[in-house]
């Protein structure tokens, strides 16, 4: 499995995960050919919520006028386009439209499950049918997100596979997988502050991989923070490059028919 294939799987999985949030009433969505745009108008300060994803540079070019109008009507001038690594044509499209990269980057990572041996966790992990423990752990880890995480407690039941590590009944670490095709997207991996350094996140990851294989998944993909990236590399994940976020550097460009508008 090539890096390009893993990158494409990650993009599809992230979009599918965004739709789970949209279905629970918080994100708004604009769907265009080859483009998916999301936003959270109630929280314009959260730049990662106001993002557009695209599958090819031509689709992005054609969609820019509609994207600009969508975010302008919602008074969200700080929206961003997510640019995967290596897409030189899309970079040129964005530069020509007056966009530039900001400091926000997320490392894309992928694992072909057949490339590494199956290594089940050494500890007992709880399969959680609800997301209460996952939300509580992530709230403690990412306190600035606050009530945004409560979206995962809303019905309908999430079509995900959640594992929780506990000690004496106390939730300490967690993670979940969202299957799209034969690829498991890994999300919400977190450990409460007082339990860090004990290898619990690695045990959760091993459990998620083990379960994914049993479900017939052939790959796992995720986005990594700088702090967590070494853990994923030790587990066999490949570095697929950094996803950049691009925003406008000035007033919107005047789109004409030659711009694909």
């Amino acid at each position: 499995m090539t890096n390009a294939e893993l990158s494409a799987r990650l993009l599809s999985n992230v979009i599918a995960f965004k739709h789970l949030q949209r279905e629970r009433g918080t994100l708004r969505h604009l769907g265009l050919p080859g483009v998916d745009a999301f936003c959270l108008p109630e929280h314009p300060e959260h730049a990662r919520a106001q993002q557009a994803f695209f599958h090819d540079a031509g689709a992005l070019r054609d969609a820019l006028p509609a994207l600009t109008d969508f975010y302008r009507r919602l008074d969200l001038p700080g929206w961003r386009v997510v640019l995967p690594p290596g897409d030189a044509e899309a970079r040129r499209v964005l530069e020509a439209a007056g966009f530039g990269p900001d400091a926000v980057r997320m490392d894309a990572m992928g694992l072909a499950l057949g490339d590494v041996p199956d290594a089940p966790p050494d500890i007992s992990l709880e399969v959680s049918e609800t997301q209460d423990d996952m939300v509580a752990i992530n709230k403690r880890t990412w306190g600035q997100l606050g009530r945004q995480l409560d979206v995962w407690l809303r019905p309908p039941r999430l079509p995900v596979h959640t594992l929780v590590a506990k000690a004496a009944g106390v939730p300490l670490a967690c993670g979940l997988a969202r299957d799209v095709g034969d690829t498991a997207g890994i999300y919400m991996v977190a450990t409460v502050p007082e339990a860090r350094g004990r290898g619990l996140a690695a045990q959760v990851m091993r459990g998620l991989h083990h379960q994914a294989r049993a479900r017939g998944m052939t790959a796992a993909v995720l986005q990594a923070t700088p702090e967590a990236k070494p853990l994923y590399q030790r587990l066999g994940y490949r570095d697929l490059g950094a996803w950049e976020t691009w925003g406008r550097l000035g007033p919107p460009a005047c789109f004409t028919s030659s711009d694909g508008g």
Side-chain angles (χ1 to χ4, degrees):
M1 192 176 300
T2 67
N3 285 2
E5 289 171 328
L6 286 170
S7 294
R9 291 178 182 223
L10 175 59
L11 176 60
S12 296
N13 205 289
V14 167
I15 291 172
F17 194 72
K18 288 279 189 181
H19 277 295
L20 290 182
Q21 191 173 355
R22 177 191 60 79
E23 291 163 3
R24 280 148 187 82
T26 55
L27 281 185
R28 295 199 191 184
H29 172 251
L30 174 66
L32 298 166
V35 174
D36 285 273
F38 299 91
C39 67
L40 192 61
E42 296 81 3
H43 293 280
E45 72 279 8
H46 294 308
R48 290 193 65 198
Q50 335 298 343
Q51 292 182 334
F53 301 84
F54 64 93
H55 289 280
D56 65 81
L60 173 63
R61 181 186 60 248
D62 294 343
L64 279 176
L67 290 173
T68 300
D69 184 61
F70 172 66
Y71 288 107
R72 181 173 53 223
R73 284 187 288 105
L74 293 169
D75 195 22
L76 294 169
W79 65 282
R80 299 288 189 266
V81 175
V82 177
L83 178 65
D87 195 333
E89 184 181 355
R91 182 180 293 265
R92 287 192 293 269
V93 167
L94 289 171
E95 289 174 342
F99 285 71
D102 61 22
V104 177
R105 286 165 171 73
M106 286 292 288
D107 287 317
M109 307 193 79
L111 172 67
L113 291 169
D115 289 349
V116 297
D118 189 11
D122 298 324
I123 64 173
S124 177
L125 299 174
E126 181 177 299
V127 177
S128 180
E129 296 299 325
T130 71
Q131 306 308 319
D132 300 74
D133 290 336
M134 181 276 289
V135 168
I137 292 169
N138 274 273
K139 276 188 172 182
R140 293 197 59 196
T141 304
W142 310 104
Q144 71 273 22
L145 294 176
R147 289 180 296 176
Q148 287 188 62
L149 290 166
D150 290 338
V151 65
W152 305 119
L153 302 177
R154 298 177 184 176
R157 179 182 177 276
L158 280 173
V160 299
H161 306 273
T162 304
L163 292 178
V164 180
K166 294 184 177 182
V170 178
L172 300 177
C174 66
L176 63 83
R178 163 66 164 149
D179 295 346
V180 175
D182 62 351
T183 301
I186 308 297
Y187 302 92
M188 300 293 179
V189 178
T191 305
V192 297
E194 66 271 20
R196 292 173 187 163
R198 293 160 51 179
L200 294 178
Q203 295 292 334
V204 169
M205 289 294 298
R206 288 167 59 181
L208 291 172
H209 293 162
H210 182 65
Q211 285 192 344
R213 291 173 189 269
R215 297 192 304 274
M217 300 297 105
T218 63
V221 292
L222 55 81
Q223 293 173 291
T225 63
E227 296 79 12
K229 186 175 180 179
L231 163 65
Y232 302 134
Q233 289 175 318
R234 289 194 296 272
L235 291 169
Y237 278 79
R238 304 180 207 165
D239 185 347
L240 305 176
W243 283 15
E244 299 177 348
T245 56
W246 285 53
R248 288 199 186 277
L249 301 177
C254 179
F255 291 99
T256 67
S257 58
S258 63
D259 296 312

